[in-house]
Amino acid sequence: MNINFYLMVPEAFLLSAAIFFILFDLVIPHKLKNQVLSSLTLVAIVLTVVLVVLFTPFVPKEAFNGFVKKDLLVSFSQVLILVVAFFTTLVSFDYLKKFPTPYVGEYYYTLLFAVFGLMLMVEANELSTLFVSLEVSSISLYILASLFSGDYRGKEAALKYFILGSVGAATIAYGFALLYGITGSTLYPEVASYLKTHLSDVVLPLLLALVFIVSGFLFKVGAVPFHGWVPDVYHGAPTPVTLFMGAAVKVAAFMALLRLFIPVFPLPQPWNGAFIFFAVVTMFAGALMALNQENLKRMLAYSAISHTGVILAAAAALPSLALFTVFFYLFAYAFMTVAAFGFISALTGKGFVGENLSDLKGLYSRNPFMGLLAVVIFMSLAGIPPLLGFWAKFWVLMALVKSDYLLVALSVLVSSLISLYFYLKPIVYIFMKEGEGGAFPGPSELAAVVVASAVLVVLGLFPSLVSELSLFGLSSFLRGLM
């Protein structure tokens, strides 16, 4: 039996830490919970990162009889998810002081369960493992969105996300069931082997399975026409939860999607036409709907939809280019999302003052440093050089041109020009309109925003550091397919 349990040490440690927090939460006084459990959560995340690095196989290896497969791309994705969780915890510490909840312990250990589910998603090598890990993370997010007592927005967001998320999960499950019925296996290599030799006999049921699977994943990443939940959930959920949802979940969902599609389906990229169509519609729909938004969280939600379209366009490129480009873009987008929602959380006070564009009036005169950080964040989201967001879109355009998708590349450029308008709006309010009052950031929120913004600047000046990581991950993944 091919168990290789040592490959799962980081996940086992993180799961053990979450279970320990459940027990520890029962004995610690409530007034100390936020400080103690946030600190322990940070320690658990850092130790998990160390374990991921220590147990990273340089040669792709399988565990639990092929249900899990690890390579450098998996490890890089898991570290990125853990880094986002680290920033989420930093932001959560100050946010929980401004918006108290009786469920502080539940908040932190549920966050760890969500991270555990996302880590399993990117290493899944079998359909049921992918589905169960997807649901572990989704259920954890439903809970996180609803833990703040008296916050009707969070409860409404959690209910909408739960109902629509269940539909998306059922759609994926049905697609997986069809795929199992066609091939008689749930392991990626065995499914791929069967389809390679019996493709002509199962074209129609395979296409039906693909429709369900693609539809479910399009919901999970918030692509048109399955995007309706994104603005309501992003707006209603507590800002640190929105941060985690917007960054970590997107990383895991896209990497899991590519790790399923590239090795399994032997047709010459049968999903490309669908991906391109949904990509173009999504990037324009998100950009256009963001133009008139006055709430920053809703604006960034529609911005996230537009970015999803760009990532889908990158996923439609040649397989090797798709993996490289998507990982690079997800890396940049994760830090941009952390910085943007950390910035909103830092300025949000009682009554959710600070979430609207009008609340940014005169911010530069009150807090010049935060005003300058806003320039870095929103200009990186817009793809302005020399920030990291520029290089993310640059590589997408290069991948599309190399794959002869010139019209799609042009669509990315046009949608980016449209998005520049609403990314400039916060800057105008911060620097050119007069205002007074507003909350000032807590130390942990400020630290998260500063570090994430610094990453956008430094790696924007030295993008080869990220591109080399992407190339190492790509080569490791491709080696595992040989």
Side-chain angles (χ1 to χ4, degrees), residues 305-340:
I305 294 171
S306 184
H307 281 284
T308 295
V310 177
I311 301 172
L312 280 173
L318 298 172
S320 57
L321 290 174
L323 273 171
F324 168 83
T325 309
V326 169
F327 180 79
F328 191 107
Y329 201 101
L330 289 171
F331 184 96
Y333 183 74
F335 282 98
M336 290 188 290
T337 302
V338 167

Side-chain angles (χ1 to χ4, degrees), residues 232-244:
D232 289 339
V233 174
Y234 275 41
H235 181 201
T239 304
V241 178
T242 306
L243 183 160
F244 183 78

